[in-house]
Amino acid sequence: MEGSHVTRFSDRIRRIRPALAGFAAAVLLTAGCTLPVIAPRVEGQGEAAPPGTAPTWRACPEVPDELVGRGAQGMRYECARIAVPRNWGNGAATGATAGPGTGETFEIALIRIRSERQHDRIGSLVVNPGGPGASGVDTAVYLSYGSGFGGLPAAVTDRFDIVGFDPRGVARSSPVKCIPDADLDASFGYDPDPQSQASFDGFADLNGRIGRRCGDRYGDQLPLYGTEQAARDMDAVRAAVGDEKLTYLGYSYGTLLGATYAQLYPQRVRALVLDGAVDPQQKLIAGSESQAKGFERAFDNFARWCGANAGRCPIAPDARGAVTSAIDKARVSPVRGRDGREATAGWVFYAVISSLYTETGWQELARAIDSLQGGDPTGVFKLADAYAGREENGHYSNLFDANMAVNCADETEKPSIPQIRQLQSQWRAKYPLFGPALAVGMLGCVQWPGGRDPYPTGKAAGAPPILVVGTTGDPATPYEQTAALASMLGVGQVLTWEGEGHTAYPQTACVTNAVDAYLISLTVPRAGLRCPAR
């Protein structure tokens, strides 16, 4: 849902990866500091190492300081920048001009985190949180705080450096920025199901304006932000950290990035964990409908929980009715917040989306809707803004600029605007809360300028076993995509978590033990392993 910010690939993260939100909050409480919604970006990290040369690492404790207020105990943080060709050439975007021969490069920001307790070092664990558009540098920092805060277990950090990178166009890595804050406010606040023709046309016009603005700024460079180019950058990251083979942990869209790497460089794979699997073979329409189904299923799970836990859910016994009513009321008489912003149907809808990424968000949603009914939209804005990466001053990071650039460079299917209008009606009948929004969200890439650079969708012939992790209640990357990705790669081994929310590792002992054994000892879980919710 590119225009409405629920893409078929993306986790559409709440600040970083939603599964990390709980431990990030715990770190804040421990540290007694305030975490900004979008952390400041450190641009002055020295010169980028030219392609093919070793980077210069420097201590950068300011990165965790800016994100959390302090670094994790016993961890050392180092940063570097490498330069990569804007166009890797082989399989390059049609019509894009930059290439290896032109001398034009992008800068890729890296962070390397090493435990003081490290022993018997295996190598580097490269991490990516998905999005596309989320910061791998930030993710690595959050993961460094250990299992007590929901981060990586000591068994992993004792054996690996944790390496995060911001993919091309994201955060600190030659960021794409072309969507004004006002347009993002308008997009998030827009009716998620614009039923009148005038309202639908208005949303189409908004997406068209966003596309034209980005096309005017970046022109034929837009296809260069696609997934295949970024996967080739990952091989430069592997070389920069000195590993002969890649060990990788990718979440959500990061599974697509890892799968693409495995197809391009199967002989350079040591171990890949792909958690929250994307099916690379799904085109735009099928992928959008799959996600509509996934969110509808996750909301049903929330509603059942609400009915069974009335003491913790103030909108029980009919959570679906309460949420639907709140959205309907917001269409005609939105409640105004303390900052003067109105909690329109769009903002209420994204509060719902935000809450479904983690089971811990369910109670927060119930309270937010209950408060909204009482005239206080604070909880709705808190959820929606965390999802959108909107700061208190109304400024956005480049998360969604990058998300559009990557997704639209990848996507070759372009349904017509009348076809989208028809799907909006059809999906409203099948998926009443999420279907229309996922349909009209396709307007974003349909009206995006520039050429396309689709990623490969085949076997990772010659690669070792790749661990593909799926969560049965995942809204953003529905569980059905797990087996599809494993099958496409040909070497995928499925690990199932019978839990709720988006992504699984390291949520429970069963999941954690299986993934750790694979990363450390290359022990593949037994076929068909299913881990219970708790």
Side-chain angles (χ1 to χ4, degrees):
M1 185 176 164
E2 283 81 359
S4 294
H5 317 300
V6 185
T7 71
R8 68 190 181 99
F9 301 138
S10 104
D11 45 26
R12 291 300 196 183
I13 47 126
R14 295 202 280 155
R15 182 178 60 239
I16 192 69
R17 183 173 67 88
L20 301 180
F23 88 82
V27 171
L28 293 177
L29 292 173
T30 303
C33 56
T34 301
L35 179 67
V37 173
I38 294 297
R41 302 304 182 195
V42 181
E43 300 296 340
Q45 295 185 8
E47 293 295 323
T53 63
T56 300
W57 295 92
R58 66 165 189 85
C60 55
E62 69 276 7
V63 176
D65 286 352
E66 289 167 347
L67 282 168
V68 178
R70 62 171 175 84
Q73 186 174 5
M75 294 292 180
R76 185 168 71 250
Y77 300 84
E78 296 177 304
C79 294
R81 304 177 75 83
I82 60 173
V84 297
R86 291 194 177 191
N87 188 336
W88 284 95
N90 183 22
T94 302
T97 56
T102 68
E104 295 186 69
T105 60
F106 286 130
E107 290 191 357
I108 305 298
L110 311 176
I111 192 166
R112 181 173 66 187
I113 306 170
R114 183 173 292 172
S115 171
E116 294 175 354
R117 300 179 299 275
Q118 190 180 98
H119 61 87
D120 301 316
R121 180 181 179 275
I122 296 171
S124 298
L125 175 62
V126 178
V127 300
N128 179 274
S135 167
V137 171
D138 292 1
T139 300
V141 170
Y142 284 114
L143 289 172
S144 73
Y145 286 86
S147 57
F149 299 113
L152 293 174
V156 172
T157 57
D158 284 354
R159 303 297 299 278
F160 292 94
D161 297 341
I162 309 306
V163 173
F165 71 102
D166 289 349
R168 57 173 58 201
V170 175
R172 306 164 181 85
S173 295
S174 301
V176 174
K177 189 61 182 170
C178 55
I179 307 178
D181 292 337
D183 281 352
L184 285 168
D185 267 352
S187 185
F188 278 109
Y190 212 91
D191 192 328
D193 184 12
Q195 295 195 25
S196 74
Q197 190 62 45
S199 182
F200 177 87
D201 290 344
F203 192 61
D205 289 345
L206 173 60
N207 279 275
R209 181 170 72 246
I210 287 171
R212 288 190 298 274
R213 190 184 297 270
C214 293
D216 289 345
R217 180 158 188 178
Y218 292 100
D220 65 3
Q221 299 290 292
L222 283 175
L224 297 176
Y225 296 100
T227 294
E228 180 172 339
Q229 297 281 353
R232 294 183 183 277
D233 294 344
M234 280 176 57
D235 200 53
V237 173
R238 174 202 57 77
V241 298
D243 287 356
E244 290 186 7
K245 295 188 176 184
L246 178 69
T247 304
Y248 173 76
L249 171 60
Y251 295 103
S252 196
Y253 165 79
T255 68
L256 178 63
L257 199 55
T260 303
Y261 182 93
Q263 293 170 78
L264 296 174
Y265 307 105
Q267 304 296 334
R268 298 179 189 172
V269 171
R270 177 186 173 273
L272 305 184
V273 176
L274 308 181
D275 185 359
V278 170
D279 178 2
Q281 295 176 303
Q282 281 190 331
K283 296 298 184 181
L284 180 60
I285 293 175
S288 295
E289 183 173 8
S290 172
Q291 200 171 47
K293 180 180 179 181
F295 273 100
E296 205 74 41
R297 181 170 55 200
F299 188 86
D300 284 342
N301 293 343
F302 156 70
R304 279 193 293 271
W305 168 87
C306 197
N309 295 272
R312 299 167 59 195
C313 182
I315 59 174
D318 184 11
R320 180 175 285 271
V323 169
T324 301
S325 175
I327 293 174
D328 287 343
K329 289 179 180 178
R331 287 190 169 101
V332 295
S333 56
V335 178
R336 189 177 298 275
R338 288 192 292 267
D339 63 354
R341 187 169 34 140
E342 293 184 334
T344 62
W347 289 113
V348 178
F349 175 78
Y350 282 106
V352 177
I353 288 284
S354 178
S355 71
L356 296 180
Y357 277 85
T358 59
E359 191 172 0
T360 57
W362 292 359
Q363 189 171 12
E364 191 174 358
L365 173 64
R367 289 172 176 168
I369 296 298
D370 183 57
S371 295
L372 182 67
Q373 292 171 338
D376 181 4
T378 303
V380 163
F381 282 132
K382 179 182 177 183
L383 280 167
D385 287 354
Y387 175 86
R390 187 185 192 273
E391 299 177 31
E392 289 186 4
N393 63 5
H395 179 64
Y396 291 82
S397 74
N398 87 316
L399 170 61
F400 292 104
D401 309 69
N403 186 283
M404 291 287 289
V406 175
N407 279 329
C408 298
D410 287 345
E411 185 55 65
T412 57
E413 185 175 73
K414 294 186 70 171
S416 68
I417 292 178
Q419 184 180 5
I420 290 173
R421 181 67 163 157
Q422 185 178 31
L423 289 170
Q424 177 190 6
S425 178
Q426 293 173 358
W427 291 0
R428 185 185 301 118
K430 296 170 70 175
Y431 321 106
L433 191 53
F434 301 96
L438 266 297
V440 300
M442 292 187 286
L443 289 166
C445 275
V446 165
Q447 300 184 92
W448 190 257
R452 300 297 191 259
D453 186 18
Y455 46 78
T457 55
K459 303 292 185 185
I466 293 171
L467 187 57
V468 184
V469 187
T471 301
T472 56
D474 193 323
T477 52
Y479 177 69
E480 293 81 0
Q481 299 190 45
T482 309
L485 176 57
S487 177
M488 187 202 78
L489 292 172
V491 293
Q493 178 70 50
V494 170
L495 170 64
T496 297
W497 182 42
E498 297 173 333
E500 300 293 339
H502 185 41
T503 74
Y505 176 74
Q507 301 276 2
T508 68
C510 176
V511 171
T512 299
N513 291 340
V515 174
D516 289 356
Y518 171 73
L519 287 173
I520 295 166
S521 305
L522 302 180
T523 301
V524 180
R526 63 174 172 82
L529 177 60
R530 300 180 71 90
C531 289
R534 287 175 174 77

